[in-house]
Amino acid sequence: AIPVGDQMWSSAPNVPFTDVPGVGFSDMELYYDADGNVVKGEYFCLSDNGFGSSDNSADYPLNIQHLKIQKPFTYRHAETTFEKYTEVTNIGTALIHDPDQYIKWENGADIQVTYGVPDETWDEYVNLRVLTGRDFDPEGLAVISQECAVLGDEMMPAIFMVNPTTGVVLSPFVRTPDIDEKGAFNGKFLSTRSDKV
């Protein structure tokens, strides 16, 4: 077992976990059927990056959940007259993974495979190239169809395409360009403290 406080695990006192814990969602978007129609009460829900930062979320597999929520639910931290909690059904969870090796860092590092994984229980995730909270901090999902969505990352920031049903990454990431006072690209990209380049 990996000890509490190790960088590969959350600082929660009951780690290591026997299953992947549920974390909050960064975004919830309407679910579309195969014909492109909105399915009432169903949503694509984008996981947050894990346990709070890229430093302690290398063992959290990023995912998109397809949830069924059949009655009104609370938005904006309980600022509503609806009941605060409602039962949901998880129709499916897609791990965000990169089998076609689109995601590579400019410094030559590969995704989480390079940074190490907790133990042999992650062997299958390594083979699938599952993205983790060390790789990205997903904050937005623009669903185009069952097979295509744009995922927005907060850490660089950047965007890339993903299949929201299967979790397969469909494109390299595109970093957010910086602009000058006239709105023209100034040759630089926006960066944050957590940027890996």
Side-chain angles (χ1 to χ4, degrees):
I2 295 175
V4 172
D6 189 288
Q7 286 189 351
M8 293 302 292
W9 292 100
S10 161
S11 57
N14 56 343
V15 295
F17 303 110
T18 55
D19 296 294
V20 176
V23 301
F25 296 122
S26 291
D27 197 2
M28 296 178 68
E29 295 293 326
L30 297 172
Y31 179 82
Y32 297 90
D33 66 18
D35 295 322
N37 302 306
V38 171
V39 178
K40 186 175 181 181
E42 294 186 22
Y43 301 86
F44 280 121
C45 301
L46 177 66
S47 70
D48 204 346
N49 78 314
F51 308 114
S53 75
S54 62
D55 293 334
N56 69 356
S57 297
D59 58 335
Y60 184 79
L62 302 178
N63 61 82
I64 299 171
Q65 297 179 33
H66 175 190
L67 299 183
K68 185 174 186 179
I69 306 172
Q70 287 298 346
K71 66 178 183 177
F73 57 93
T74 301
Y75 280 106
R76 297 180 50 84
H77 306 289
E79 296 175 16
T80 181
T81 57
F82 295 125
E83 294 177 45
K84 292 183 180 178
Y85 301 100
T86 184
E87 293 293 319
V88 301
T89 302
N90 185 323
I91 297 172
T93 298
L95 297 178
I96 301 173
H97 59 291
D98 182 31
D100 298 313
Q101 302 186 27
Y102 285 118
I103 306 299
K104 296 188 185 299
W105 304 121
E106 294 166 7
N107 64 5
D110 198 355
I111 59 171
Q112 52 86 13
V113 177
T114 297
Y115 300 111
V117 292
D119 53 39
E120 68 281 353
T121 63
W122 269 68
D123 288 349
E124 184 180 354
Y125 284 8
V126 170
N127 292 333
L128 289 172
R129 292 174 53 87
V130 172
L131 297 176
T132 73
R134 172 65 181 89
D135 299 308
F136 292 103
D137 184 0
E139 291 300 329
L141 189 69
V143 176
I144 299 166
S145 70
Q146 276 190 354
E147 299 178 347
C148 186
V150 179
L151 188 149
D153 166 67
E154 176 179 47
M155 284 200 284
M156 284 189 265
I159 59 172
F160 58 95
M161 305 296 284
V162 63
N163 181 321
T165 302
T166 65
V168 171
V169 173
L170 302 175
S171 75
F173 63 82
V174 177
R175 298 184 66 201
T176 304
D178 199 3
I179 56 175
D180 61 23
E181 60 279 354
K182 296 179 182 176
F185 177 51
N186 65 11
K188 299 178 182 178
F189 294 91
L190 297 177
S191 294
T192 69
R193 181 179 59 81
S194 301
D195 207 335
K196 299 180 192 62
V197 296

